[in-house]
Amino acid sequence: CSPRRGGAGCPPAGQVRAAFLRFFQERHGHRRLPSAPVRPRGDPRLLFVNAGMNQFKPIFLGTAHPRSELAQHRRVVNSQKCVRAGGKHNDLEDVGRDTYHHTFFEMLGNWSFGDYFKEEACSMAWELLTEVYEIPRDRLYVTYFGGDSSLGLSADEECRDIWLRLGVPASHVLPFSLKDNFWEMGDTGPCGPCTEIHYDHVGGGRNAAALVNQGSPDVVEIWNLVFMQYSREVEGNLLPLPQHHVDTGMGLERLVTVLQNKRSNYDTDLFTPILDAIHKGCGGPRYQGLVGDADVGRVNMAYRVVADHVRTLCVCITDGVYPGLSGAELVLRRILRRAVRFCSEVLHAPPGLLASLVPTVVEVLGDAYPELTKNADQIMDIINENEAAFLSSLERGRRIIERTVQQMEPSTNFPTEVAWSLYGNLGFPLDLIDLMLEEKGISLDSAAFNKLVLEDAKRKAGGPQVGQLEDANTHLDVHSLAQLRSSNVPATDDSPKYAYTLGQHGQYEFSPCQATVLMLYRDQSLQKEVGAGQRCGVILDRTNFYAEQGGQASDQGYMIRLGQQDILFPVESVHLCGGYVIHEVTAVETLRAGDQVQLFVNEAQRLACMTNHTATHLLNFALRHVLGDNTEQRGSHVTAERLRFDFDTKGPVTVEQLQQVEQVVQDVIKRNEVVHMAEVPLTLARRVQGLRAVDEGYPDPVRIVSLGVPVESVLTRDSEAAMQTSVELCCGTHLLQTGAMEDLAIISERQLVKGISRVIAVTGGQAKQAREVGQCLAMEVDSVSLRMKQRSTSIPEMQKLSKEVGQLTKVVANTAIPQWQRKELQAILKALQRTANTAIKKLEVQQAEEKAQSLLAKHCNQPVIIDTVPADSLSVLMKVVNQLCDKSPGTSVLLLSPQVSGEVLCACQVSKNCLPMFSAADWAVAVCTQMEGKAGGSPIVAKGSGSAKGMQGALTTALEFAQSKL
């Protein structure tokens, strides 16, 4: 895998990646793991997986369940898909300007979890770079942490000495400060000194030490080895970690650039096939690697943007992140739109170029990440749909800007709220707004706009911080976890949460549970005693409370001290952390370690959660059964009130499909199938054909939940039982038989983003109620429909019916009823609204024609007609005026219509022959002012209203005004 200077025989990127993985796996006993998806699991603070260590965070924090596969890892190697765009690592705007920034990149990494440390890590890295990849030693420089007196940290001389012993010359071993050589996971948490390996592209025997960490493109960092040995506390001080870890990361793109003897990542075989495909697709000049002023027309920048962004789009869409309106989805939408703009505005490529590059990306990355090959068609569809939507948004945005500019007063700023709406609602790029305004010589008030951006960011950031106070009592920090383990406090036995049976009469009986308080946790420290009135986390030796996990909400209830039946300690929430179950409790009296307690779960809430969790499994099965096997679960949440389920879908679910899904569920409920549950070894569980949801988050052994088929049958080799029923790995609590569910109604179904649908469903009494309400609303719609068919000839009656349809439409949209029925009723109501509007229009035209005819006969060939006429609405009155003017082209007309309410409507039209002397708007204003009302319009037509008591004077004013102008 060594580079041959001069370029011939350079190792392809695939070989470089494979050599890295093989080296650690075969020579140094590391376990090779697949890349985690770029959608982070269980880390709401993260938009994308942006480093190899993300999936191992629970190990660093000590929160991995002791029985999970994750907790068994000691030495691991992998190549991780990473996206850095949005959030802390926001490289998006830099991509394309230079030759080394990317939104998607691959991070090669090796880890040690409490196994080897500095000596072995440095030695392996040096061996790989100099012996396997054969990089000349004189081109490599290493840095180490030079210490920080403000933190009381001395220089990492241990690391320096290791490098010297490995034969690195002293002039190539360099100390650097906290900024460059001390790595931190975040504001708090595991951290430690790091050592970086830098490569000098120029070489030739020179000493490039002075260029290390100076931003020189000639001397670049290629590998970072982090030694996690501290934890930064909330107060900012550092404490030694109970266990030392090694976390290393090397960007594949940079490494390949070195080994293929290139100066730019875009010149390696990870990018050249994509750049060639872009050239082929747009037919412009070839990519030349130019940057800055040399890159005339930003053509080379466009090549880099499009090549980088299409890789990111492929990887994200495959891993379930689709362009959307918030969070990671919003960032991906910006990436897609940025790429589309460079395609159309700079490369002048036809629409569809971006999607046409997908097969090339799959060719480059598909061997390493086979999931890309499987999803190629879906990726292309999503890119094409989003591109079309964006191009139409651009067109709308341009029209809005044109219209706004026309209505603006001269020499004013463009309205900030319009710019914000274009940016926020249409996703119109800010620089494009600036550009279009600049062309028109108009500016945007940037300060006011930035203020809106800040306010929006603050509002969005407000969410997650609310829960941070609770964390202090329910989420054990790394030191407390280590203290519990070193004090031999056993992990909580939570098997009693599954201890319930069905009684003789079908009622659920929950076994009582007695426990001992082992430790209390408050303000991020373990305590033996907590005083009255204080909130704290209670760790027991055993519990029957369900801790929030697997999408199921935690139990609530209370505990009492043995012998003190009348003092209840309410349990508000329950969390699992590193094998310990923490009960969030408000101590009504002093609570101490050693206290004996009796636990009481809120049985109604638990039973509702059990019902809805079993219903979720059943719904998952029914959706796959109706929509096809490629319907993958994307997330779920179960509470006592309802269940939410997100899944992949090609398009909106139809009324018929929703009915079929409900029918499949109801059939299983009617059969009252037994829900089989058993704990089995994870390796055995993974062999089950058609098994849903297998990832690393499960403990070993793992619990299998199978509806209607015993677990033993499902586990039989070559058994296809799991294909015919619902079989899932699940730690949740479930019904013992499906009959107790009684019913399931899907009360909402909508597309979250293109390709992902969310359904909300209710069960039991709530489902029954939803169906009853649905029936009542259906009867109301039938009643309106019937009355509509009778076709009343009265405009007010038809308007009343139209209003009723509008109100019913709102009720149907916002009431919990079966979704299939909602869709049906909405379709009927939409048609009824159209029918009503058409009927009203027809009646108005008919009425107007009759009135115009009689007025024409009354005022034969007059140049001005002023009169009163009965009319049901201003719309009818306006039509009468129009008809009169059409039939008598030289006539100007003003009509008043007194209403039962005491209001007088006014409408007028002026003959074109009388312009510009005579204006309809001025005429209407003069008349309506006489009636203490208002009016407005154009020089030709105008309308208004006023009060009946001024009507006689208004008729006189109308005549006098007309005479003065004609």
Side-chain angles (χ1 to χ4, degrees):
C1 221
S2 61
R4 307 252 163 82
R5 301 292 147 194
C10 287
Q15 207 174 307
V16 175
R17 188 194 296 110
F20 181 91
L21 299 170
R22 205 167 48 242
F23 172 80
F24 283 101
Q25 194 178 0
E26 293 174 10
R27 282 204 202 179
H28 295 286
H30 286 59
R31 180 171 179 195
R32 180 178 168 181
L33 292 181
S35 168
V38 292
R39 177 190 278 281
R41 198 182 67 221
D43 193 343
R45 292 176 180 84
L46 209 55
L47 288 172
F48 299 99
V49 164
N50 57 22
M53 53 72 63
N54 290 159
Q55 66 170 309
F56 304 119
K57 256 186 180 178
I59 302 178
F60 300 136
L61 296 168
T63 57
H65 194 288
R67 284 197 293 124
S68 70
E69 210 171 2
L70 202 56
Q72 314 311 315
H73 294 325
R74 288 295 167 264
R75 298 179 173 210
V76 164
V77 64
N78 86 343
S79 174
Q80 173 63 47
K81 298 176 287 189
C82 297
V83 173
R84 287 191 180 172
K88 178 181 155 192
H89 296 286
N90 195 352
D91 289 358
L92 186 54
E93 290 310 314
D94 292 325
V95 172
R97 294 184 200 282
D98 53 40
T99 59
Y100 51 85
H101 268 100
H102 301 292
T103 49
F104 163 73
F105 65 99
E106 295 177 68
M107 191 180 276
L108 303 170
N110 60 292
W111 286 267
S112 160
F113 305 116
D115 187 347
Y116 59 81
F117 204 42
K118 295 179 186 179
E119 180 96 42
E120 296 91 330
C122 295
S123 167
M124 290 175 200
W126 194 249
E127 181 188 355
L128 176 66
L129 294 178
T130 61
E131 293 176 25
V132 176
Y133 292 139
E134 294 182 12
I135 296 174
R137 293 163 185 251
D138 63 347
R139 288 198 178 205
L140 296 174
Y141 294 80
V142 294
T143 65
Y144 67 94
F145 178 51
D148 188 288
S149 53
S150 66
L151 282 171
L153 291 175
S154 54
D156 191 358
E157 290 172 1
E158 179 192 0
C159 177
R160 178 198 65 192
D161 295 344
I162 291 166
W163 287 119
L164 293 172
R165 283 200 298 279
L166 285 167
V168 184
S171 60
H172 284 221
V173 182
L174 314 165
F176 278 91
S177 67
L178 196 74
K179 182 173 81 74
D180 292 305
N181 278 77
F182 196 87
W183 185 90
E184 310 213 28
M185 191 188 282
D187 295 335
T188 59
C191 56
C194 61
T195 181
E196 294 177 342
I197 303 171
H198 295 249
Y199 174 78
D200 176 19
H201 277 286
V202 177
R206 70 169 184 165
N207 186 325
L211 296 175
V212 172
N213 278 338
Q214 297 307 308
S216 163
D218 294 337
V219 180
V220 292
E221 174 211 331
I222 53 170
W223 204 347
N224 187 8
L225 284 59
V226 178
F227 307 124
M228 289 198 198
Q229 57 188 99
Y230 302 107
S231 169
R232 188 178 285 282
E233 301 305 290
V234 181
E235 299 77 26
N237 58 315
L238 296 174
L239 291 178
L241 271 180
Q243 248 194 342
H244 289 175
H245 308 295
V246 173
D247 159 20
T248 87
M250 172 157 58
L252 175 70
E253 292 75 8
R254 278 196 190 177
L255 177 64
V256 172
T257 303
V258 168
L259 297 181
Q260 293 184 357
N261 203 22
K262 305 290 185 191
R263 293 302 299 272
S264 158
N265 298 354
Y266 291 94
D267 293 336
T268 66
D269 63 343
L270 286 166
F271 288 93
T272 48
I274 304 169
L275 296 169
D276 290 344
I278 295 171
H279 170 67
K280 203 170 154 192
C282 69
R286 277 192 170 280
Y287 176 68
Q288 295 168 284
L290 302 172
V291 292
D293 294 340
D295 181 19
V296 180
R298 302 195 304 166
V299 171
N300 289 265
M301 178 177 176
Y303 266 100
R304 289 188 289 269
V305 166
V306 175
D308 171 89
H309 288 9
V310 75
R311 287 174 17 121
T312 306
L313 287 162
C314 288
V315 166
C316 287
I317 292 168
T318 294
D319 285 350
V321 182
Y322 300 135
L325 295 174
S326 64
E329 280 80 9
L330 177 60
V331 175
L332 197 66
R333 184 174 84 155
R334 286 191 183 138
I335 288 170
L336 182 135
R337 293 183 161 197
R338 188 167 185 254
V340 168
R341 282 186 61 205
F342 273 97
C343 280
S344 63
E345 292 169 22
V346 182
L347 297 173
H348 307 295
L353 170 70
L354 203 55
S356 75
L357 304 173
V358 171
T360 312
V361 176
V362 171
E363 210 175 293
V364 174
L365 296 173
D367 286 347
Y369 309 109
E371 59 273 20
L372 284 168
T373 313
K374 198 177 98 180
N375 291 298
D377 289 344
Q378 185 199 17
I379 298 167
M380 289 168 78
D381 289 346
I382 288 174
I383 289 176
N384 277 330
E385 283 164 11
N386 278 275
E387 178 176 27
F390 178 47
L391 293 172
S392 101
S393 286
L394 282 185
E395 206 34 61
R396 271 181 69 195
R398 284 194 179 99
R399 286 201 302 272
I400 290 168
I401 289 176
E402 293 285 349
R403 198 169 60 239
T404 310
V405 169
Q406 280 169 13
Q407 292 167 358
M408 278 168 60
E409 290 180 16
S411 71
T412 53
N413 279 334
F414 189 77
T416 317
E417 58 282 3
V418 176
W420 175 251
S421 168
L422 284 169
Y423 174 71
N425 300 331
L426 281 184
F428 210 81
L430 206 47
D431 59 331
L432 195 57
I433 296 173
D434 282 334
L435 204 68
M436 290 180 72
L437 294 180
E438 203 178 296
E439 286 165 7
K440 297 176 188 301
I442 295 167
S443 60
L444 176 65
D445 183 348
S446 301
F449 188 87
N450 290 338
K451 192 178 166 200
L452 289 176
V453 174
L454 275 171
E455 282 169 9
D456 185 59
K458 268 185 197 162
R459 194 166 59 247
K460 284 175 180 161
Q465 290 156 5
V466 182
Q468 283 173 6
L469 287 172
E470 293 171 23
D471 288 4
N473 295 331
T474 56
H475 290 77
L476 296 169
D477 65 291
V478 66
H479 303 295
S480 302
L481 279 162
Q483 200 180 324
L484 287 169
R485 284 168 190 150
S486 63
S487 309
N488 292 323
V489 175
T492 314
D493 170 15
D494 61 353
S495 57
K497 69 187 176 193
Y498 300 125
Y500 49 89
T501 52
L502 268 176
Q504 270 181 311
H505 308 292
Q507 79 285 13
Y508 277 81
E509 292 172 354
F510 296 88
S511 305
C513 182
Q514 196 175 314
T516 305
V517 176
L518 299 181
M519 195 63 77
L520 302 160
Y521 185 66
R522 180 174 158 72
D523 297 334
Q524 289 200 309
S525 75
L526 295 171
Q527 300 176 10
K528 293 276 188 187
E529 187 176 299
V530 165
Q534 295 187 321
R535 281 166 87 97
C536 66
V538 179
I539 298 169
L540 306 167
D541 60 338
R542 60 201 302 269
T543 183
N544 59 348
F545 275 79
Y546 182 83
E548 184 171 353
Q549 59 183 316
Q552 180 179 328
S554 75
D555 281 339
Q556 291 174 331
Y558 62 91
M559 54 178 80
I560 60 170
R561 250 198 303 248
L562 286 190
Q564 286 185 316
Q565 306 297 321
D566 51 347
I567 300 172
L568 312 183
F569 294 87
V571 175
E572 289 153 42
S573 67
V574 190
H575 301 267
L576 183 66
C577 198
Y580 296 100
V581 176
I582 299 106
H583 307 72
E584 191 181 8
V585 165
T586 300
V588 283
E589 272 200 359
T590 302
L591 202 53
R592 295 179 181 86
D595 283 350
Q596 301 286 302
V597 290
Q598 184 97 26
L599 306 178
F600 295 88
V601 167
N602 178 332
E603 293 181 7
Q605 187 222 8
R606 160 67 84 83
L607 187 54
C609 279
M610 285 160 52
T611 305
N612 287 345
H613 204 146
T614 305
T616 305
H617 283 216
L618 200 37
L619 182 64
N620 188 2
F621 167 70
L623 284 164
R624 287 170 73 100
H625 185 77
V626 172
L627 303 178
D629 274 346
N630 54 358
T631 308
E632 288 293 335
Q633 177 176 344
R634 285 290 181 193
S636 67
H637 189 59
V638 174
T639 65
E641 293 73 38
R642 54 178 46 186
L643 62 102
R644 188 189 78 209
F645 192 80
D646 301 344
F647 58 97
D648 282 342
T649 170
K650 288 277 183 231
V653 187
T654 65
V655 166
E656 292 72 23
Q657 287 170 330
L658 285 166
Q659 287 174 315
Q660 285 167 10
V661 167
E662 282 190 3
Q663 194 54 57
V664 170
V665 173
Q666 281 156 4
D667 289 347
V668 180
I669 292 172
K670 278 190 196 121
R671 293 202 299 270
N672 198 17
E673 299 276 21
V674 173
V675 180
H676 298 274
M677 291 169 269
E679 284 201 341
V680 299
L682 200 51
T683 45
L684 206 58
R686 285 209 164 110
R687 291 216 300 262
V688 175
Q689 284 189 57
L691 183 71
R692 256 75 82 203
V694 179
D695 63 20
E696 284 219 60
Y698 295 101
D700 191 7
V702 68
R703 198 169 169 80
I704 287 189
V705 178
S706 170
L707 299 192
V709 179
V711 175
E712 307 81 72
S713 310
V714 168
L715 291 172
T716 313
R717 205 176 274 284
D718 301 328
S719 162
E720 291 194 359
M723 311 288 272
Q724 317 304 324
T725 184
S726 163
V727 179
E728 296 192 31
L729 301 186
C730 182
C731 55
T733 55
H734 287 270
L735 293 174
L736 300 173
Q737 286 180 262
T738 58
M741 210 180 294
E742 295 174 12
D743 192 3
L744 176 137
I746 295 169
I747 56 167
S748 164
E749 183 275 327
R750 65 187 178 93
Q751 282 209 302
L752 287 181
V753 293
K754 197 78 191 160
I756 295 188
S757 267
R758 166 170 290 178
V759 295
I760 291 172
V762 289
T763 55
Q766 279 180 289
K768 189 180 169 202
Q769 189 184 351
R771 292 193 194 287
E772 285 169 2
V773 172
Q775 285 307 311
C776 293
L777 285 174
M779 282 159 70
E780 284 188 49
V781 171
D782 281 349
S783 160
V784 175
S785 198
L786 210 61
R787 282 178 285 148
M788 196 75 83
K789 279 180 185 143
Q790 287 159 3
R791 288 289 162 91
S792 165
T793 52
S794 150
I795 292 176
E797 256 182 58
M798 283 311 288
Q799 284 173 328
K800 192 177 161 211
L801 267 178
S802 171
K803 196 176 176 185
E804 210 176 309
V805 170
Q807 285 167 340
L808 256 178
T809 302
K810 272 185 190 167
V811 174
V812 166
N814 298 316
T815 308
I817 61 172
Q819 180 68 7
W820 62 263
Q821 193 169 30
R822 188 192 323 278
K823 284 188 169 185
E824 274 187 355
L825 296 180
Q826 282 173 330
I828 295 167
L829 288 166
K830 199 173 179 182
L832 288 177
Q833 193 69 71
R834 271 201 304 271
T835 306
N837 293 346
T838 308
I840 291 166
K841 219 175 205 169
K842 212 170 174 184
L843 286 170
E844 284 181 349
V845 170
Q846 209 176 316
Q847 204 182 88
E849 215 160 273
E850 289 164 10
K851 291 187 187 333
Q853 211 58 52
S854 65
L855 281 166
L856 211 56
K858 182 178 170 186
H859 302 273
C860 198
N861 295 328
Q862 296 285 333
V864 176
I865 297 176
I866 296 167
D867 209 336
T868 60
V869 64
D872 287 333
S873 67
L874 191 53
S875 171
V876 173
L877 191 63
M878 204 73 231
K879 284 185 174 72
V880 178
V881 170
N882 297 151
Q883 296 254 14
L884 272 171
C885 291
D886 286 350
K887 289 178 170 35
S888 175
T891 307
S892 296
V893 179
L894 183 141
L895 297 179
L896 298 180
S897 177
Q899 302 293 297
V900 184
S901 62
E903 185 187 29
V904 176
L905 305 176
C906 166
C908 65
Q909 185 169 333
V910 169
S911 167
K912 283 178 182 166
N913 310 338
C914 305
L915 296 173
M917 282 295 292
F918 194 4
S919 156
D922 295 345
W923 198 13
V925 167
V927 170
C928 292
T929 305
Q930 183 67 38
M931 299 189 292
E932 298 173 353
K934 286 180 179 174
S938 70
I940 294 178
V941 289
K943 57 189 176 184
S945 64
S947 161
K949 60 176 185 280
M951 193 169 85
Q952 281 317 113
L955 288 167
T956 311
T957 303
L959 188 59
E960 286 170 357
F961 186 93
Q963 285 168 342
S964 72
K965 299 290 178 186
L966 293 174

